[in-house]
Amino acid sequence: MIHHIRDFVTPSCALLALGEPTHRAPAFGWARNELFAQLVDHGFRSIALETDRVAALTANDFVQEGAGSLDTAMSQGFSHGFGDLDANRRLIAWMRDYNEGRPAEERLAFHGFDAPMETLSAPSPRPYLEHARDYLKLDLDLTSLVGDDERWSRSEAILDPAMSPGATPEAERLRSIADDMLVTLYARTPELIAATSRAEWFRAKTHLTAGLGLLRYHKQSAQRLEQSARVSRLAATRDALMVQNLLDIRDIEARRGPTLLFAHNAHLQRTPSNMRMADMDLTWFGAGDIAGSLLGDQYIFIAGSLGRSEPIGLQEPEPDTYEGHLQRHITTWGLTTPTMVTSARTRTDTTPEQGYFPLDQAILDGADAVLHISDGTTIVTRS
């Protein structure tokens, strides 16, 4: 029943997506580190995590060049508090050690593929647009159009369409300016790369893409729709921006080898995502569903499955659930095929507030493999 990770790396694989059913079970990060180390031996040269793509540039500078320190990479190179996780710190340190003394083309690269936002919060686009403006050496006054950054970042700007700046004339003007800057960035590519570097050009594009993404997200937050439909559209917009980032990352990494993705199942699964939030039922096409449709057999999805976990109060699963079936056959952790998961009841001993999403038939129908961890509090290390 147990497979090696290489069994799921097909010749066409470009993105191998490894999901977790919750961010709160430490063992998934440690299992990811172990599997990535194995994948490096099979030609993988990059990893992309569910963290802000712009912030991740700082972590990648440390990983590739030794710029700054490990502490700085963790405090500034991650969003969503993920820099505080021990498994992530160990990943960055290991990647830096691996790269030491290797030629640039063989070094491992670290990426974030999330937009700089959460579903119900998003910052001002100002610093991202200003980075691109300064790189292009344009004389543009963005501050007067952006105004106070706080009016963008406050929770009311997302929760209440009447409080959102996303549909104001100033925001429309900012989107037009950002679109023009993107055209200019491409139009001047040879000149800009000759004057700076290919890496700096991509860094400017990454900032500009993030700023545009935020403007688009704030535009959606201003839509006066029924609340479930509105928040579902916000979730869909965030995942669409994730896919844009993934495609950009693959443009950078395509010649060096496949990329391992690591994120919540809800972002990576090949079937529509669903979530209960407060009194809302949300449904949207996640990044994996979109990427799978665009990339076909270049996209491989491994669904994460969890037996028990003390931090979120998740007890031993009942035998007739998907997790219960896996628990009987996998005592610690391991990979298997979805066809081996024969039980047919979705687990119900959990709530959305735990941040845990149990396996269901839709997730399994779109999965190429399943990573099951019997105890999410156990630290998984390389043997």
Side-chain angles (χ1 to χ4, degrees), residues 18-36 85 87-88 260 262-263 265 302-309 312 314 323 332-334 356-357 370-380:
L18 178 62
E20 58 177 352
T22 174
H23 293 314
R24 298 175 59 193
F28 281 96
W30 292 101
R32 172 208 64 204
N33 291 356
E34 159 66 12
L35 294 173
F36 182 52
L85 301 181
N88 286 346
L260 175 67
F262 182 72
N265 284 340
I302 300 176
S305 169
L306 176 60
R308 58 181 176 268
S309 178
I312 60 174
L314 197 63
E323 290 84 359
T332 53
W333 70 288
Y356 165 73
F357 290 55
V370 178
L371 168 68
H372 181 74
I373 295 179
S374 62
D375 185 352
T377 61
T378 302
I379 293 178
V380 181

Side-chain angles (χ1 to χ4, degrees), residues 20-22 264-266 269 273-276 284 304-306 323 350-352 354-360 363:
E20 58 177 352
T22 174
H264 200 289
N265 284 340
Q269 64 192 64
S273 301
N274 300 277
M275 181 171 65
R276 180 76 177 170
W284 72 98
S305 169
L306 176 60
E323 290 84 359
T350 183
T351 64
Q354 292 172 310
Y356 165 73
F357 290 55
L359 289 180
D360 58 28
I363 293 176

